[in-house]
Amino acid sequence: QVQLVESGGGLVQDGGSLRLSCAASGNIFSLNVMGWYRQAPGKQRELVATITNGGNTNYADSVKGRFTISRDNAKNTVVLQMNSLKPEDTAVYYCNYRVYANVYWGQGTQVTVSS
């Protein structure tokens, strides 16, 4: 079992920044992929960014150049630095942890960008 605890969501103005953090605990394996997904009301959950234990990253086109994902393998944490936020970034952001075929989700944290 893996537990994911998220923090950092909130309300920010258009163009502002937020930093989301997710800490994983439990049966943590060194080889894993962590990332962030988001879901806006009435829309499907979509990938925001992922990062492997080796540091390989993947970003959605909509956030590329604005968001940066990073991780601290020693602390089993993943951070999403969100800059130049736009109202369309408003969503519930979910931390994701994947190892082998097992997938775990955080509880979600609300990010609201006002115009």
Side-chain angles (χ1 to χ4, degrees):
Q1 294 283 330
V2 173
Q3 296 78 44
L4 304 174
V5 179
E6 302 155 327
S7 62
L11 175 65
V12 67
Q13 291 185 338
D14 190 357
S17 298
L18 284 173
R19 182 186 293 261
L20 304 183
S21 180
C22 175
S25 62
N27 298 332
I28 305 300
F29 287 79
S30 296
L31 300 178
N32 61 66
V33 179
M34 297 187 71
W36 292 91
Y37 291 69
R38 67 186 182 187
Q39 187 168 24
K43 300 185 68 177
Q44 297 183 75
R45 186 173 298 185
E46 64 179 0
L47 180 146
V48 177
T50 61
I51 183 168
T52 70
N53 58 278
N56 292 325
T57 59
N58 182 41
Y59 295 93
D61 289 341
S62 60
V63 307
K64 192 173 183 179
R66 300 187 296 120
F67 293 7
T68 302
I69 190 169
S70 61
R71 64 186 293 162
D72 184 336
N73 291 333
K75 296 184 178 296
N76 297 315
T77 61
V78 61
V79 170
L80 184 69
Q81 177 66 46
M82 304 185 294
N83 298 325
S84 301
L85 283 162
K86 306 174 181 179
E88 50 262 45
D89 295 317
T90 296
V92 177
Y93 284 69
Y94 296 89
C95 182
N96 173 267
Y97 172 95
R98 184 188 302 272
V99 57
Y100 302 112
N102 301 116
V103 180
Y104 301 88
W105 295 95
Q107 76 282 0
T109 184
Q110 177 70 46
V111 171
T112 302
V113 184
S114 64
S115 59

